[in-house]
Amino acid sequence: MTARRMLGVCCDVKVDIGDQQVTVCGDGSDIVVEVPSLTSVYRVMRQLRRLAWRKKRLSELSGLLQTVGLTLVVRTPSRKLISLGIENDSMLLRLFGVRNARLHLS
């Protein structure tokens, strides 16, 4: 069953975090967050407390995105890292209790 697209997003925001810049672009049902590197994502994740807390927040976010019909994509300039929301599902992440999310390992 495919979720209905109910919400559209239009944005183009640049955020400076320390000496690095994160770009958030929205177009329709897709929100793309571009981070400078995989290392910068790990730094942010380390600040988000324990693994159980991170898993809970990730699961809540993916469920909310699914409900409103949006997709959030986190990527570096060279590759896609993770997608959350509509039309995303990963057997690996479901094993860890996170639905509506896909890791892009290649």
Side-chain angles (χ1 to χ4, degrees):
M1 182 165 94
T2 303
R4 290 181 290 147
R5 298 177 193 270
M6 298 180 280
L7 189 63
V9 175
C10 181
C11 69
D12 190 7
V13 179
K14 295 189 185 305
V15 180
D16 291 324
I17 301 175
D19 61 345
Q20 299 185 347
Q21 190 173 72
V22 174
T23 304
V24 180
C25 297
D27 184 19
S29 65
D30 295 330
I31 303 166
V32 178
V33 177
E34 187 168 307
V35 296
S37 66
L38 190 55
T39 305
S40 61
V41 173
Y42 286 128
R43 277 191 219 134
V44 170
M45 292 301 287
R46 277 196 311 254
Q47 301 301 316
L48 295 178
R49 304 183 194 165
R50 300 180 327 269
L51 181 60
W53 189 87
R54 284 180 257 176
K55 182 183 92 168
K56 181 179 180 206
R57 294 296 174 242
L58 187 64
S59 184
E60 289 172 351
L61 177 60
S62 65
L64 288 170
L65 289 165
Q66 177 75 22
T67 299
V68 297
L70 293 176
T71 298
L72 173 71
V73 177
V74 178
R75 61 172 297 118
T76 67
S78 61
R79 65 184 287 245
K80 198 184 294 187
L81 301 174
I82 189 169
S83 302
L84 304 169
I86 62 170
E87 299 175 9
N88 287 289
D89 198 18
S90 165
M91 181 89 103
L92 175 64
L93 289 175
R94 269 192 277 142
L95 291 173
F96 292 100
V98 178
R99 298 189 179 279
N100 309 316
R102 176 179 294 149
L103 288 172
H104 301 275
L105 302 175
S106 57

